[in-house]
Amino acid sequence: MERVNQTSSVSEFILLGLSSRPGDQKPLFILFLTMYLVTITGNLLIILAIHSDPQLQTPMYFFLSFLSFTDICFTTTIVPRMLVSFLSEKTISYAGCLTQMYFIYALGNTDSFLLAVMALDRYVAICDPFHYVTTMNHHRCVLLVAFSCSLPHLHSLLHTLLLNRLTFCDNNVIHHFLCDLSPLMKLSCSSTFLNEIVIMSECSVVLVTPFVCITFSYIRILITVLKIPSAAGKRKAFSTCGSHLTVVTLFYGSIFYVYLQPLSTYTARDHIATLVYTVLTSMLNPFIYSLRNKDLKQGLRKLMGRRKSQAAPS
């Protein structure tokens, strides 16, 4: 058998998934297939609407299109593997498990940094509107996206390499539906001290820093909005931030619940919280951003109108 880690006797892992009861597998398959198709369709529509409507060629929608693309990739890293395990194969190779973990952390943290960049964009738009065009110019927006994508990959590579140095002996059953650091480290028969130190230091910094930036941005936004004399002006300012705040609450609330706790306390109860930030948030993002945004709803209507006119017989 293939052995990617030469010091381990484990060449594959068994993902137990969300339920071991045979009667649950087909309903779960249908549920997550539906959620996956909704996620892909919704985020693709957001991307197409933004890139086809000249009125949506602004920094806010530029960042949103990258967030939607990242959500498609993030969900695709997780859900197809789950669908396979529901109906047939629950095993995943050692290399496949580390690969999945790498992309989960890379794409999940890219989401996190993009949410911070979007909060910064709203901060500049509301608190410094006269310099918004020059501050959030296209070159700077590209640099912010490039940074948001590259740093998470370096972070993920570090943890993947540290995990690969561990020894896995006989136990290869992962009590989870995906390959995550905590359940994998629990299976190791070698010391995980270095891994835990890095998680509690570097990982916490990478996770908490974007959240601190978002918090700072919204405190400044709140102070600025409260100084607006008219109620209509306050509502307009808050309406541009409501969708983003909803997504931030869902995403970071579930992530902090899962990861800001000691390894020894990690249990199967954390599966629900993991589902929220890996699957549910990506599916809900298109609805949250489109339902509360008139410009995006108009862009989606234009996109659907063009598709109908092209499909209509001449």
Side-chain angles (χ1 to χ4, degrees):
M1 287 189 295
E2 177 189 6
R3 292 185 183 181
V4 179
N5 185 344
Q6 295 300 322
T7 61
S8 294
S9 60
V10 171
S11 62
E12 63 183 20
F13 293 102
I14 299 172
L15 290 168
L16 289 186
L18 295 173
S19 173
S20 58
R21 290 181 295 185
D24 293 341
Q25 303 309 305
K26 285 188 178 179
L28 284 172
F29 176 86
I30 294 170
L31 173 64
F32 281 92
L33 177 61
T34 303
M35 292 174 70
Y36 180 61
L37 293 176
V38 170
T39 301
I40 299 299
T41 304
N43 283 288
L44 273 177
L45 284 174
I46 293 289
I47 294 169
L48 291 172
I50 290 171
H51 285 275
S52 63
D53 191 342
Q55 290 186 331
L56 300 180
Q57 304 302 308
T58 64
M60 181 174 73
Y61 296 111
F62 176 75
F63 297 135
L64 179 57
S65 66
F66 274 95
L67 182 69
S68 292
F69 176 74
T70 304
D71 282 339
I72 290 173
C73 298
F74 191 28
T75 309
T76 301
T77 302
I78 299 164
V79 178
R81 176 66 248 181
M82 291 176 67
L83 296 176
V84 171
S85 67
F86 287 142
L87 295 186
S88 56
E89 189 63 57
K90 290 188 178 294
T91 60
I92 183 170
S93 68
Y94 182 93
C97 192
L98 262 63
T99 301
Q100 186 191 54
M101 193 196 79
Y102 172 86
F103 282 107
I104 287 172
Y105 278 84
L107 296 169
N109 281 286
T110 298
D111 257 2
S112 176
F113 277 86
L114 285 173
L115 289 172
V117 167
M118 292 171 76
L120 175 65
D121 172 73
R122 292 300 83 206
Y123 161 72
V124 177
I126 294 172
C127 301
D128 193 16
F130 296 110
H131 297 98
Y132 178 72
V133 175
T134 53
T135 303
M136 301 303 292
N137 59 66
H138 184 69
H139 177 69
R140 190 161 291 155
C141 289
V142 171
L143 288 177
L144 286 169
V145 169
F147 174 79
S148 299
C149 295
S150 57
L151 183 62
H153 279 274
L154 294 175
H155 159 78
S156 184
L157 180 63
L158 170 65
H159 288 281
T160 304
L161 292 175
L162 285 174
L163 188 70
N164 191 51
R165 58 179 282 278
L166 298 179
T167 302
F168 297 90
C169 301
D170 297 325
N171 189 3
N172 68 337
V173 178
I174 301 175
H175 295 270
H176 213 321
F177 60 87
L178 50 76
C179 293
D180 200 359
L181 267 177
S182 295
L184 280 168
M185 286 164 59
K186 276 189 171 184
L187 296 182
S188 173
C189 51
S190 59
S191 173
T192 60
F193 177 74
L194 178 60
N195 301 69
E196 293 185 54
I197 291 296
V198 174
I199 287 173
M200 296 305 293
S201 54
E202 186 270 349
C203 195
S204 297
V205 170
V206 171
L207 181 62
V208 173
T209 300
F211 182 74
V212 170
C213 293
I214 292 170
T215 304
F216 170 79
S217 297
Y218 276 106
I219 289 173
R220 294 298 303 271
I221 288 170
L222 180 63
I223 293 171
T224 302
V225 170
L226 290 177
K227 293 178 181 178
I228 298 174
S230 67
K234 289 178 181 178
R235 281 196 301 270
K236 183 179 179 181
F238 278 128
S239 68
T240 64
C241 304
S243 302
H244 185 255
L245 272 174
T246 305
V247 173
V248 166
T249 303
L250 275 172
F251 186 79
Y252 280 102
S254 54
I255 282 186
F256 286 157
Y257 178 82
V258 172
Y259 291 108
L260 294 187
Q261 59 177 310
L263 174 62
S264 58
T265 65
Y266 192 92
T267 65
R269 289 194 300 271
D270 299 315
H271 291 181
I272 302 301
T274 304
L275 277 173
V276 171
Y277 81 85
T278 56
V279 180
L280 189 63
T281 305
S282 297
M283 184 186 74
L284 293 179
N285 276 357
F287 298 99
I288 293 171
Y289 282 108
S290 61
L291 290 176
R292 303 188 64 175
N293 188 305
K294 292 181 180 178
D295 292 335
L296 191 53
K297 279 195 286 189
Q298 186 177 357
L300 286 168
R301 280 195 293 266
K302 287 180 183 178
L303 177 67
M304 299 310 292
R306 281 194 295 270
R307 292 292 178 269
K308 286 180 181 178
S309 62
Q310 289 173 3
S314 55

